[in-house]
Amino acid sequence: MVELQLLRPEHAPAVYAFERANRGYFAASVPDRGDTYFEEFEERHQALLDEQGTGTILFHVLVGEGGEILGRFNLVDVADGSAELGYRVAEKAAGRGVATAGVRELCRLAVEVYGLRTLRAATTLDNPGSRAVLGRVGFGAVGSVTLDGRPGTSYELDLGGRFGREPAEVRA
């Protein structure tokens, strides 16, 4: 069974392993976190948990059987009923519906637990997988952006409307 969980201190070893194992895969579509991220991982993880305590960011991990992290799904800049969505999924889980299921579940939590009304997201034009996930869940394109020097699209989702609430099929 796969479960989306709010980030906790005990997730640290599995998150580190997830980031390390997928570093090259992620760097193909998003900026690399750099060596310092891994060298200072424990301190950074604790700082994120401390910041999460303020309620302005909400970090989640998609945990597979055996405690392995399959993805990270985050809400940042949480304020005034809205937040920015960001996510990344392990290479070995890509193409199996994991990202779509995780984003849908985070949308559900955004409404039912966090009381949000709107989510924003952005992705580069050369990341068709993320663009497809956002489209399947119901995000609509609202403008052009530049992300780390690369052209992209910004998206928005009204959580009061239908946002693909039907469960996504996750293929093993």
Side-chain angles (χ1 to χ4, degrees):
M1 180 169 165
V2 177
E3 181 182 16
L4 192 66
Q5 299 176 4
L6 190 63
L7 186 66
R8 300 187 308 265
E10 59 268 24
H11 289 129
V15 170
Y16 182 86
F18 165 83
E19 292 290 350
R20 177 64 75 188
N22 292 285
R23 184 176 183 181
Y25 174 65
F26 294 147
S29 59
V30 295
D32 183 59
R33 294 190 186 275
D35 292 337
T36 304
Y37 172 84
F38 295 98
E39 293 163 2
E40 300 173 356
F41 181 82
E42 289 182 26
E43 296 85 3
R44 180 168 167 69
H45 187 76
Q46 185 56 54
L48 293 176
L49 290 168
D50 292 345
E51 189 176 356
Q52 182 168 264
T54 69
T56 60
I57 59 172
L58 299 159
F59 296 110
H60 299 80
V61 289
L62 190 64
V63 181
E65 294 181 26
E68 178 184 23
I69 303 298
L70 298 175
R72 298 181 72 176
F73 297 83
N74 304 317
L75 297 173
V76 299
D77 298 331
V78 178
D80 301 322
S82 70
E84 178 90 16
L85 165 73
Y87 59 94
R88 54 178 53 199
V89 173
E91 181 175 18
K92 72 181 200 174
R96 297 187 354 218
V98 171
T100 301
V103 170
R104 282 186 176 139
E105 177 62 9
L106 192 54
C107 288
R108 185 192 67 76
L109 292 172
V111 172
E112 296 177 9
V113 177
Y114 307 131
L116 300 178
R117 297 179 307 279
T118 306
L119 292 183
R120 298 174 310 281
T123 189
T124 57
L125 297 180
D126 61 353
N127 191 342
S130 282
R131 291 182 16 233
V133 166
L134 294 172
R136 277 193 292 275
V137 176
F139 280 80
V142 295
S144 297
V145 295
T146 300
L147 301 168
D148 297 304
R150 295 162 46 198
T153 304
S154 60
Y155 296 84
E156 193 168 285
L157 175 65
D158 175 359
L159 293 169
R162 181 167 180 79
F163 58 84
R165 290 187 176 114
E166 62 281 345
E169 178 183 334
V170 177
R171 296 178 297 282

